[in-house]
């Protein structure tokens, strides 16, 4: 498995998602988003999941945390719902049909579920386990060590632990009925600090 095997979709939506991420998100959060995309694609191979919508997965991965930034934060919606609506608007501009636009929202929202059934939502499952690896250190040995090292070299973690930790705590305090509260109560700060990827 090599990083070069995974190609960014050459589409208007994919280019737009990355442009939004780079304009509004910090470098560390955008690198996290891009690692999450690569991890998701890699887990699809490891878990034998086929027939996925690669463009949808890329757009959802790149924008899954954009609801945490000031410009897109929502005072009532969870950050994953807010970010999902950003992806939906982007997808509309790129000409996606209504059902596929809704899928972008679903995948982003479901990445914060405790578990996603791959039979119900393959892309949601892949983004959930990919972010689980990048944030909480779940399944750290599921991917080849050299591949993981190459991904971390290409998209360094930087200040992710501090930045994302602060974001999710802020979201949990302001929106205690959202998934952010569950993440904080579940020890996400400790998991970020102990994530084996931090030491690679």
């Amino acid at each position: 498995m090599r990083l070069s095997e995974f190609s960014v979709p050459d589409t208007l939506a994919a280019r737009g998602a990355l442009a939004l991420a780079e304009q509004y998100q910090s470098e560390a959060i955008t690198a996290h988003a891009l690692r999450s995309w690569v991890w998701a694609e890699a887990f699809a191979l490891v878990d034998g999941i086929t027939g996925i919508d690669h463009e949808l997965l890329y757009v959802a991965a790149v924008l899954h945390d954009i609801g945490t930034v000031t410009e897109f934060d929502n005072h009532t919606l969870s950050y994953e719902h807010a970010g999902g609506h950003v992806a939906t608007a982007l997808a509309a501009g790129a000409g996606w049909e209504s059902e596929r636009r809704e899928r972008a929202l679903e995948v982003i929202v479901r990445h914060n579920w405790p578990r996603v059934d791959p039979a119900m939502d393959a892309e949601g499952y892949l983004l959930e386990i990919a972010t689980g690896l990048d944030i909480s250190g779940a399944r750290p040995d599921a991917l080849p060590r050299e591949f993981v090292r190459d991904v971390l070299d290409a998209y360094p973690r930087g200040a992710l632990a501090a930045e994302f930790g602060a974001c999710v705590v802020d979201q949990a305090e302001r929106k205690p009925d959202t998934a952010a509260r569950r993440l904080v109560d579940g020890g996400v700060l400790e998991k970020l600090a102990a994530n084996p990827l931090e030491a690679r």
Side-chain angles (χ1 to χ4, degrees):
M1 186 181 295
R2 298 183 183 277
L3 178 57
S4 59
E5 295 173 14
F6 303 106
S7 300
V8 173
D10 185 17
T11 67
L12 180 62
R15 290 190 293 272
L18 184 60
L20 282 176
E22 292 179 336
Q23 179 174 350
Y24 291 101
Q25 295 179 167
S26 71
E27 187 175 334
I29 296 296
T30 297
H32 158 63
L34 292 170
R35 283 193 308 276
S36 296
W37 164 66
V38 178
W39 302 144
E41 291 283 1
F43 277 123
L45 293 179
V46 168
D47 291 352
I49 297 175
T50 59
I52 62 174
D53 184 331
H54 295 280
E55 182 186 23
L56 168 65
L57 182 59
Y58 180 85
V59 169
V62 170
L63 297 179
H64 77 270
D65 283 334
I66 203 163
T68 65
V69 305
T70 300
E71 293 85 351
F72 299 115
D73 192 8
N74 185 297
H75 74 286
T76 57
L77 292 179
S78 67
Y79 75 86
E80 63 272 19
H81 279 87
H85 288 296
V86 173
T88 299
L90 172 82
W96 290 17
E97 297 295 328
S98 175
E99 183 176 340
R100 195 161 177 241
R101 296 197 303 268
E102 184 66 21
R103 287 287 298 125
L105 173 63
E106 289 174 348
V107 172
I108 291 175
V109 168
R110 290 170 182 168
H111 96 272
N112 259 355
W113 284 12
R115 184 181 182 280
V116 180
D117 181 352
M120 177 193 73
D121 182 351
E123 293 83 7
Y125 165 78
L126 291 170
L127 188 56
E128 181 261 315
I129 60 171
T131 56
L133 168 61
D134 211 62
I135 296 298
S136 301
R139 296 181 67 182
D141 299 318
L143 304 177
R145 185 169 301 179
E146 185 176 343
F147 171 74
V148 170
R149 185 168 54 247
D150 288 346
V151 173
L152 293 172
D153 287 344
Y155 307 112
R157 292 182 71 80
L160 175 67
E163 287 188 20
F164 184 76
C167 281
V168 77
V169 166
D170 172 66
Q171 292 283 324
E173 290 175 349
R174 292 189 291 113
K175 308 170 197 178
D177 59 342
T178 66
R181 180 79 263 163
R182 175 179 53 78
L183 292 174
V184 171
D185 291 347
V188 70
L189 299 183
E190 294 78 11
K191 290 174 183 176
L192 276 163
N195 191 325
L197 298 183
E198 288 289 321
R200 296 195 185 190

